[in-house]
Amino acid sequence: MVIFVASKNPHKIQEIKLVTPDHVILRPIESDWTVEENGETFLENSVLKAIEYGKCVGGPVLADDSGLSVDALDGFPGVMSARYLEGASYREKMESILELMKNVKNRSAKFVCCATYYDPNKPFLISVQGEVRGYISEEIRGEKGFGYDPIFIPEGYNKTFGELGEDIKKHISHRAVAFKKLFEILSSLGLI
Ligand code: ITT
């Protein structure tokens, strides 16, 4: 069966594929479809993307809204993770976060992912959230992954996601946790 994915981020889609059951085919966005992500939470934005794209394609859709949340910065950049310092490179965004964290002792942080399934024909919507807790590193390390991966050290490891890459992310990341949970629910309901 085919499920559309309401994401323009190829890294996300690749990571979702790694935890998708073999009989489910993910179909990425082919048009220049876009939606204004004006929600205040990961849940709101994930639901917004799923419903808007579901209405557009007329079939079952998955959406992912995610981001980095730093405890000492009151959850920043949070839902603003993609839009923080718009136009700047991820190296610049990470340098800026490290600058904000200079001399900050509490480096705990988490990645959060809200995964939503929506079928406009039922209509039917399920949202689940996944998290991975960890720490902000002292410097940028690693070339793997995407976004803020090179400054995030997951709990229980001493390397960043940028060093660990998808071999580890597919087991413990916020996205892996959320989508595994979502696929389990969809399977138990006989929807996939
Ligand atoms: P779509 O909305 O098209 O799915 P996006 O990248 O704009 O793509 P979001 O609005 O959900 O997605 O923003 C997520 C941002 O949070 C992403 O661009 C990264 O900056 C960050 N992020 C989320 N998951 C991440 C991960 O696994 N590793 C590193 N950074 C991540």
Side-chain angles (χ1 to χ4, degrees):
M1 72 167 305
V2 173
I3 306 185
F4 296 90
V5 186
S7 175
K8 289 186 163 175
N9 183 328
H11 301 284
K12 275 187 180 180
I13 298 172
Q14 165 63 10
E15 290 187 7
I16 298 168
K17 271 189 185 151
L18 291 177
V19 297
T20 300
D22 288 343
H23 63 284
V24 176
I25 297 163
L26 299 184
R27 184 166 300 165
I29 290 176
E30 283 159 13
S31 64
D32 54 5
W33 175 85
T34 149
V35 65
E36 199 189 337
E37 296 178 33
N38 52 16
E40 285 178 15
T41 61
F42 296 113
L43 176 64
E44 279 177 64
N45 282 334
S46 181
V47 167
L48 197 72
K49 289 189 233 188
I51 292 181
E52 290 305 313
Y53 196 55
K55 283 196 287 195
C56 170
V57 293
V61 160
L62 293 173
D64 164 322
D65 199 70
S66 47
L68 177 68
S69 171
V70 182
D71 293 344
L73 304 178
D74 287 331
F76 186 79
V79 288
M80 291 305 293
S81 291
R83 284 160 286 164
Y84 175 53
L85 294 182
E86 211 149 17
S89 67
Y90 266 95
R91 174 156 284 274
E92 289 165 327
K93 293 184 196 214
M94 287 188 287
E95 279 166 355
S96 158
I97 301 277
L98 292 182
E99 186 60 31
L100 293 173
M101 295 294 286
K102 213 166 139 184
N103 303 323
V104 175
K105 285 224 169 57
N106 174 14
R107 305 196 70 85
S108 63
K110 63 183 177 182
F111 268 125
V112 181
C113 171
C114 186
T116 298
Y117 170 92
Y118 173 64
D119 186 346
N121 301 308
K122 307 259 195 252
F124 202 97
L125 187 144
I126 308 168
S127 282
V128 299
Q129 190 157 299
E131 294 185 2
V132 56
R133 292 211 58 92
Y135 307 93
I136 298 300
S137 58
E138 297 286 344
E139 70 279 303
I140 296 173
R141 291 197 330 239
E143 311 263 289
K144 296 177 188 165
F146 70 101
Y148 300 94
D149 279 342
I151 58 168
F152 183 83
I153 301 172
E155 250 169 25
Y157 293 80
N158 54 17
K159 291 182 172 171
T160 66
F161 266 161
E163 295 171 299
L164 296 166
E166 66 181 31
D167 286 349
I168 301 296
K169 281 189 87 180
K170 74 180 175 196
H171 295 296
I172 64 163
S173 82
H174 49 315
R175 184 161 298 105
V177 171
F179 278 91
K180 279 182 195 170
K181 219 188 286 182
L182 184 56
F183 285 126
E184 264 171 41
I185 295 170
L186 294 175
S187 172
S188 70
L189 293 172
L191 290 165
I192 57 169

